[in-house]
Amino acid sequence: MKKPAKTHKIKMMEAQLATKLNRQVVGSLVGCVHCGMCNDCCHYVLSHPDDPKMTPSYKADQVRKLFKANHDWTGSVFPWWVGADKAALTDDDLEELKDIAFGTCTNCRRCTINCPMGVDTATLNRLMRGLLTNVGVMPEGVRVVSKDQWELGNQMGVLKEDYIDTLEWMSEELEEDLGHGEAEIPIDKAGAKIMYAINPREVKYDPRTIKEAALIFWAAGEDWTMPTEGWDNTNFGLFSGDDGLGGASAKREYDKARELGVDKIVISECGHGYRSTRHEGVNWSGDAEPFPMESSVMTMLRYIKEGKIVVDPSKNSQRVTFHDSCNNARSCGFYEEPRELLRLVTTDFQEMYPNRAEGFCCTGGGGAMSMSEYTPRRLKSGEIKANQIRATGAEVVVTSCHNCVDGLGDVIKHYELGCEVKQLVDLVANALVLEECAVMKGRPATAAAPEAPAPTAEVEEAAAPVVAVEAPLAGRKILVVDDEEDIRTFLVTVFEDAGAEVMEASDGDECIEKAKTYKPDIISLDLSMPGKSGVDAFVELRKTAETESIPVCVVTGHPEFRQVIYDRPVPPPEGYLNKPVDEDKLVAYVAHIVETKEEKAN
Amino acid sequence: MHESSSLLHTAEVVHWAALIIMAVVYSLRLRWLFKFKPGADKSAPGAPDRTDKERGAFYSLFNVAMPWSMESTRKGFAFYLTFVIFHLGVVAGISLAFLSTITPNLVANPVFAWICGSTLFLAFLVALYRVFRRLFTPVMKLISTPDDYFSLFMLTAWFGLGAVTQAHLAGVQGFESVNILVAYLFLTSFFLIYVPFSKISHYLYYPFTRIWIGRALGHRGSYPIVRG
């Protein structure tokens, strides 16, 4: 049968490949002997034992064939002899390559460290991703996220005003917690010693970590700031294989740090963010001299060692285990510091095996969280990690990576492990003994710790005068949509206790009908419901003139649906919370969304 | 007898010529490899107290002799052993081919003959197992190319013939025909010429790929691997 002619995209990929080759890459391309020893090291292989296509060498062979057909002596003359005749030729082939490169590998690099030949298979997979991205072949989630990072400077499409608004919100929360405004988050402070760069997920889903970091910086008496530009430490270029995006994103951070004149960039807990900012970004951006950088884990550890902050590990008495981010441990040699810190702020640390550079992926690496089409396969591959976690008997899985928080959250939920995920910043903030921290030296201990023990009844009675606190949702109309009655009752109770007027709906159709009738200030929306799902209801709400401007806060037990809803061609939801949801967090989050909406309207 | 001696002489000349051809092609291969620009990591060392490029490279280069260093060899120790035997067989086979023409007395020495012959025979058995594995394991079938199959078939035949040749050189009864040695030298010649164009040339790249990944991960602080 006559072979089809190469398409334009294939020719483009071949041309691009030639520009990407260096000695190390070529070494990996020619070094594989197809011995199969990488096979049992991959979490996709171990969880899909009947699918040989999961083997790492098969994945790397996709770009190897392209290389052999164009650059290798034997492959150029006798392509069939070395498999180069099976290199991609048509655009349909590219769709299959997309599925392999993006959907069957998280670039965790576990195969790399287990290859007897030293073949860096994960780098080859990233190379293939880059070639595909260059010709526009990529999962929709990757396209959307990359576009956001190019255009807005962060991968979650957070607008500058929303980012600043969140920082101010967290400053206000800190003021409420501490009883004074000294811990306000400094923004664009020129000449500060530290510029703190974060993951946009913190702004969008978990601003609590920003508050906790701010509390720790304040407690340590640190001279720090958060920038208005170049604040996103994450870098989708690492996942998409687009070195141009990688360089541009990293350079934003470096340039802002130089503009502010800070001494150091401190990178919040994010595995790929750390690797991209601290290492790869330097190479992609062509930065002349690496800017001093460190992980916030190292910063917090130093504060404790230098006595700038004092912690009480008994405040974190649950059994904890530690999950190593692949990017941190395997690609950055960053695995001892988190353990050292963990031992200082907790009382019952149980190691997970295998660990450090040999640990397994959380399933969320390589941008997998943004590719919802591969979620079932990803969750299946999480079986390995689930077994690892289960064996520790831990109540809390600690990790230093936001992707891992989401990936592990999905695994814990899917495999019903009954534990929760935390980051070190959570534990350090919780363990702080503020009265003894650097900021309090020489001062009367007037500020109360944010998580002080609940007062006893006697103390409560004695506390006078009683100040009436205004209900945070007073006067608000909230529509609670959830098919599970007990959850609906819980949400209704929480919102009513916070002063809101609450309506209920148990499926998507009822949600739309009541949204049109009652015009609520916000909708709390479950995603997985019988009949019309929350996703479909959300899209219809956004597409209907009467309801399009009603803010929606997704409250779901299926965090893996996150990208499904963000992939829809409508404005994303204003909020997204995973069940089980903390009452205070829920109220604060919903109140913030409504207030922000009003401020914008005014 | 005269014809056999003449054929043997030809085989000896050819296999030395094949060695020269292999050396030339390998030189060109390395020249080709080093024409590509070197990848450089300009970032600051990963973990200052653990970072050591040279140590990482050393660890990486010699992890072939440290089966405990990689999970793949630690857990698959039986497979690692077959790997060791297979590669010792290659060393024995090459040694036999060249020493048979340089020092025929040495290869006839019973100690040498036993060591070399049994190594080749064990390597032959391992090669047979590898043929079976490559032909019948779904993963191996999926990733194998004609080059993979041919290289393995050729090595299997070469190990088997090598073991027989050693028996011939040691004067074992039933293996007297000089044609055994002639066939072995011709097969070795083909092997030497074919290798630089095949996957078997991986050993040429081995030191470079291992050192490069070792330096890269050593710089970051990931190599040598720490377990706890």
Side-chain angles (χ1 to χ4, degrees), chain A residues 400-414:
Chain A
S400 276
C401 171
H402 278 278
N403 265 339
C404 296
V405 169
D406 287 337
L408 292 170
D410 287 357
V411 168
I412 288 168
K413 178 94 185 164
H414 187 75

Side-chain angles (χ1 to χ4, degrees), chain A residues 19 21-24 26-27 30 33-35 37 39 41 52-53 55 57-58 61 67 71-74 80-83 109-110 112-118 120 278-280 282-283 286-287 290 329-333 335-337 353 355-356 358, chain B residues 25 28-29 32-34 36-47 50 63 69-74 79 133-134 138-140 142-143 145-148 150 194 197 199 202 205-206 209-210 212-213 217 220-228:
Chain A
T19 68
L21 297 175
N22 64 34
R23 274 176 215 166
Q24 284 81 348
V26 172
V30 296
V33 290
H34 292 148
C35 68
M37 286 186 76
N39 198 40
C41 308
K53 288 189 175 179
T55 199
S57 54
Y58 173 77
D61 272 355
F67 169 80
H71 300 276
D72 179 70
W73 300 353
T74 315
W80 57 276
W81 191 245
V82 292
R109 242 180 169 183
R110 203 166 189 275
T112 298
I113 64 160
N114 277 293
C115 173
M117 280 298 296
D120 195 350
R278 172 75 171 72
H279 290 289
E280 315 300 354
V282 177
N283 301 317
D287 215 46
R330 260 192 288 285
S331 291
C332 302
Y335 44 76
E336 295 300 352
E337 294 84 353
Y353 296 97
N355 53 52
R356 296 174 171 82
E358 292 190 333
Chain B
V25 179
L28 294 172
R29 278 272 185 198
W32 168 77
L33 179 63
F34 279 85
F36 292 100
K37 62 182 183 294
D41 188 350
K42 292 188 295 174
S43 68
R50 295 192 294 275
N63 79 348
S69 66
M70 290 194 299
E71 185 188 86
S72 54
T73 48
R74 197 165 61 239
F79 189 79
R133 180 172 172 262
R134 201 168 279 280
V139 167
M140 298 306 291
L142 179 72
I143 61 178
T145 64
D147 179 33
D148 292 319
F150 182 76
Y194 176 71
F197 300 98
K199 67 171 273 186
H202 67 275
Y205 305 120
Y206 177 84
T209 53
R210 286 253 51 119
W212 288 335
I213 194 77
L217 295 181
R220 299 287 176 90
S222 308
Y223 260 12
I225 283 176
V226 174
R227 280 189 296 279

Side-chain angles (χ1 to χ4, degrees), chain A residues 418-440:
Chain A
C419 46
E420 58 179 326
V421 189
K422 287 187 177 177
Q423 292 189 278
L424 277 155
V425 70
D426 305 329
L427 298 173
V428 173
N430 190 50
L432 278 178
V433 183
L434 279 180
E435 295 77 8
E436 295 177 31
C437 291
V439 73
M440 300 305 292

Side-chain angles (χ1 to χ4, degrees), chain B residues 101-122:
Chain B
T101 62
I102 300 168
T103 60
N105 291 339
L106 176 65
V107 295
N109 178 290
V111 175
F112 180 93
W114 265 108
I115 295 172
C116 187
S118 31
T119 305
L120 282 165
F121 183 69
L122 285 174

